[in-house]
Amino acid sequence: MKRITIRTHLAVTALALAAATGVHAKTLVFCSEGSPENFYPGINTTGTSFDGNEPIYNRIVEFERGGTKIVPGLAEKWEISPDGLIYTFHLRHGVKWHNQRAFKPSRDFNADDVLFMFDRQWKESDPYFKVTSSNHSYFNDMGMPKLLKSVDKLDDYTVRITLNKPEAPFLADLAMPYAAVQSKEYAIAMLKAGTPEKVDQEPIGTGPWYLLQYQKDAVIRYKAFAQYWGGKAKIDDLVYAITPDASVRWAKLQKGECHVMPYPNPADLETMRKDPNVVVLEQPGLNIGYLAYNVTKKPFDDVRVRKAVNMAINKKAIIDGVYLGSGVAAKNPLPPSMSAYNDAIKDDPYDPEAAKKLLAQAGYPSGFSTDLWAMPVQRPYNPNAKRIAELMQADLAKVGVKAEIKSFEWGEYRKRMQNGEHQMGMLGWTGDNGDPDNFLAVLLGCESAKTNGSNVAKFCNPQFEDLIQKAKQVTKPAERDALYKKAQVIFKEQAPWFTIAHAVQLKPVRKEVVDFKLSPFGRHNFYGVDIKQ
């Protein structure tokens, strides 16, 4: 992305930026791990991009801070019809849009903006459908194009959404980042000016902060929006100091050059916990790290090969050597904290001899050659993909499998995996809405197995699909859980992944930060946070 400077300001360091805001302004510096791909959440799938977008936007419903409960957002109330097909949202009055150098809003937020959010992801005829990207991953992977029957504006402050079938997680889905509401008026103005991409590069939203400056791989500056409908943020100046290296993030946190840092090195945790100026917040992570087998490519189209590779890899050695106490071994695609988790399932044992026999049965008595993709970044579910790949490579060599480790720049890596270019590749997921559907349908469903989808194993199993589709339409939690537990049995039998670990979410925060709450989704939300000066 090109450099965006909405107000000219030379930034040398995060400290200089903080100092420049004035004596009385409260500044919080977040040492983020990377640059956002853009400022349009509808096409993003990484926590890095969602974090960069979070201060700017709202959705019609939101998750309560630090939890999974649905609370009012841009809609102050709603009704759901008894058959679960019609959702009627009553929107807030008087919600202001941010100002922008090239555009001054002439009206408040209204129903037209909600319709624009849906239309640009749903309707190919919308002039914004292909602006920035036409790959609306979340919208498509959750089956929204088939689920939505109509989205209607009843008046300026009432929107009615009609579904083709009941969908238990629908309300939670609307609180996810992809459903951030953008200004229809701004979009029309930029289309007329011949610069529609500015909507996603120089964004305006209704959120608690507006974008002041973005310099790729260096810094993002946000300023508190005085007219924010929820009340002005306690933090005046929010600075994202982009710091990819975890050890550098930790050094900055120690010096007070930043106040919050994500994704610490597990090896640094002991030192962090001894620092009198730092608190390490932690909770079980709603996540999964895995190695996906592309089931459409040989030899991984054979379940015996997938099972053999599962048994050839020493999972305990990976957990002990890389996660260092910050992860627990995964056997299911769902995290253990979810009620639908099937604890009765037995994991594939580490058994190289059994793996060799299975490979021979599958026609590979001498093994085979494959690629092994390793992520170039540290993620909540994987502290060091390169090291894990090396351990896997050594284990696989013992059963005759020659694995060549490959990697690419993060955006390119994800795009190529979604396209199915890999044979084996590491990836992972942090839940977006606390619902099992967000793991099982988005990561393993047939709709998501298509090109550009998040199902990078390209796994499409009719029995598994039938169970997760039924579960979408069941409203009783116990009945839904029972269906998901059956689906996990099929997952384990079919082995589209080698499940690695569920990581503990760890967040070192300086003690002067007041009321920062861990998000179950691993996101960083600073509205409601204060800082002692």
Side-chain angles (χ1 to χ4, degrees):
M1 185 183 291
K2 66 179 183 179
R3 180 180 175 185
I4 298 168
T5 307
I6 295 170
R7 296 183 185 177
T8 304
H9 184 94
L10 290 174
V12 181
T13 66
L15 268 181
L17 286 166
T21 57
V23 176
H24 303 294
K26 288 185 178 181
T27 299
L28 186 143
V29 181
F30 171 53
C31 274
S32 67
E33 81 289 358
S35 297
E37 294 155 283
N38 52 67
F39 291 97
Y40 173 39
I43 57 171
N44 295 330
T45 60
T46 69
T48 308
S49 292
F50 292 145
D51 279 346
N53 290 200
E54 183 64 26
I56 300 168
Y57 296 112
N58 294 119
R59 289 142 290 274
I60 54 175
V61 292
E62 305 278 4
F63 294 111
E64 70 174 347
R65 197 161 66 96
T68 59
K69 181 184 173 186
I70 307 297
V71 297
L74 293 173
E76 56 188 355
K77 59 182 180 178
W78 55 87
E79 297 98 34
I80 305 170
S81 64
D83 62 6
L85 294 176
I86 299 170
Y87 290 68
T88 306
F89 293 93
H90 303 277
L91 308 180
R92 292 183 190 276
H93 291 247
V95 174
K96 304 298 180 188
W97 289 101
H98 304 157
N99 280 307
Q100 213 271 11
R101 185 181 59 184
F103 174 75
K104 300 287 182 282
S106 70
R107 64 162 175 82
D108 292 346
F109 154 81
N110 68 26
D112 290 333
D113 305 309
V114 177
L115 266 62
F116 174 58
M117 180 272 288
F118 281 104
D119 286 350
R120 78 170 292 193
Q121 300 185 69
W122 184 21
K123 298 180 178 176
E124 291 188 34
S125 59
D126 189 279
Y128 272 83
F129 183 81
K130 291 183 179 177
V131 171
T132 305
S133 171
S134 60
N135 184 20
H136 307 287
S137 293
Y138 272 94
F139 195 82
N140 295 331
D141 291 351
M142 293 188 299
M144 286 288 176
K146 290 180 181 175
L147 176 66
L148 294 171
K149 185 174 183 180
S150 63
V151 180
D152 300 302
K153 171 185 171 180
L154 302 187
D155 59 44
D156 277 352
Y157 293 97
T158 314
V159 172
R160 183 180 62 207
I161 301 173
T162 307
L163 307 182
N164 283 309
K165 60 181 181 181
E167 178 91 349
F170 183 66
L171 204 59
D173 290 346
L174 292 179
M176 288 164 53
Y178 81 93
V181 178
Q182 294 178 304
S183 165
K184 176 73 181 279
E185 187 188 20
Y186 182 34
I188 291 170
M190 292 303 100
L191 199 63
K192 284 180 180 174
T195 55
E197 68 284 349
K198 279 195 175 183
V199 169
D200 303 333
Q201 292 178 352
E202 300 179 18
I204 68 167
T206 58
W209 287 274
Y210 59 88
L211 182 66
L212 197 62
Q213 179 198 42
Y214 171 48
Q215 188 174 348
K216 192 176 189 299
D217 299 331
V219 71
I220 316 175
R221 292 189 70 206
Y222 307 91
K223 192 82 175 170
F225 183 40
Q227 295 175 289
Y228 181 54
W229 59 268
K232 183 178 175 291
K234 295 170 185 173
I235 301 297
D236 300 290
D237 295 278
L238 180 60
V239 179
Y240 284 22
I242 298 166
T243 315
D245 189 300
S247 58
V248 177
R249 291 198 295 276
W250 169 226
K252 286 185 175 185
L253 194 80
Q254 283 176 295
K255 294 174 190 170
E257 291 180 19
C258 64
H259 302 99
V260 179
M261 68 165 278
Y263 318 132
N265 276 331
D268 292 333
L269 286 169
E270 190 178 344
T271 311
M272 290 174 174
R273 291 190 172 111
K274 291 176 180 173
D275 192 310
N277 299 311
V278 172
V279 177
V280 180
L281 304 176
E282 61 181 281
Q283 68 182 27
L286 195 70
N287 60 45
I288 173 74
Y290 57 86
L291 175 73
Y293 307 121
N294 187 336
V295 303
T296 66
K297 284 188 174 178
K298 287 189 178 301
F300 297 106
D301 57 343
D302 189 326
V303 68
R304 293 172 297 183
V305 172
R306 303 195 294 267
K307 280 285 189 184
V309 173
N310 277 7
M311 290 192 288
I313 298 171
N314 187 341
K315 188 178 296 187
K316 186 178 185 302
I318 290 172
I319 305 290
D320 292 346
V322 180
Y323 288 82
L324 304 176
S326 67
V328 294
K331 62 182 180 180
N332 291 326
L334 290 182
S337 57
M338 300 186 88
S339 62
Y341 181 80
N342 190 342
D343 198 33
I345 283 172
K346 297 283 186 285
D347 203 6
D348 294 311
Y350 170 55
D351 190 340
E353 290 308 312
K356 285 179 188 175
K357 287 176 185 172
L358 257 186
L359 286 175
Q361 287 175 27
Y364 300 96
S366 305
F368 57 87
S369 296
T370 180
D371 58 34
L372 170 54
W373 291 31
M375 297 180 303
V377 293
Q378 191 182 20
R379 302 307 302 152
Y381 45 76
N382 191 324
N384 190 336
K386 184 174 183 291
R387 180 64 187 137
I388 292 175
E390 290 166 351
L391 292 170
M392 288 178 170
Q393 184 184 49
D395 285 342
L396 292 171
K398 294 170 189 171
V399 298
V401 175
K402 298 180 185 67
E404 180 191 355
I405 298 171
K406 289 186 176 181
S407 196
F408 303 90
E409 178 274 326
W410 184 219
E412 188 73 10
Y413 182 93
R414 288 187 310 100
K415 186 169 76 175
R416 285 173 177 253
M417 278 198 76
Q418 286 177 331
N419 285 338
E421 294 179 25
H422 60 293
Q423 285 175 285
M424 293 196 300
M426 265 185 270
L427 212 56
W429 190 256
T430 299
D432 296 292
N433 62 12
D435 196 281
D437 179 77
N438 182 245
F439 283 82
L440 300 185
V442 175
L443 302 181
L444 294 156
C446 290
E447 195 66 34
S448 183
K450 295 173 182 174
T451 302
N452 299 328
S454 295
N455 180 350
V456 294
K458 307 303 174 189
F459 174 73
C460 179
N461 177 278
Q463 290 79 30
F464 181 90
E465 186 70 13
D466 183 56
L467 288 165
I468 63 170
Q469 290 301 329
K470 279 180 181 170
K472 280 176 181 277
Q473 298 185 50
V474 173
T475 52
K476 290 182 180 174
E479 288 180 27
R480 292 189 78 213
D481 285 357
L483 291 166
Y484 287 128
K485 284 178 180 179
K486 287 179 183 176
Q488 287 164 81
V489 172
I490 294 170
F491 166 86
K492 207 65 190 176
E493 289 169 354
Q494 292 298 313
W497 298 350
F498 173 77
T499 48
I500 305 171
H502 307 289
V504 177
Q505 187 186 175
L506 299 156
K507 204 79 58 184
V509 177
R510 285 192 64 85
K511 284 192 173 172
E512 56 264 36
V513 175
V514 178
D515 204 25
F516 175 82
K517 293 183 184 293
L518 289 179
S519 157
F521 315 120
R523 305 270 152 69
H524 299 90
N525 184 343
F526 297 101
Y527 185 69
V529 177
D530 204 347
I531 195 159
K532 287 183 270 188
Q533 292 189 313

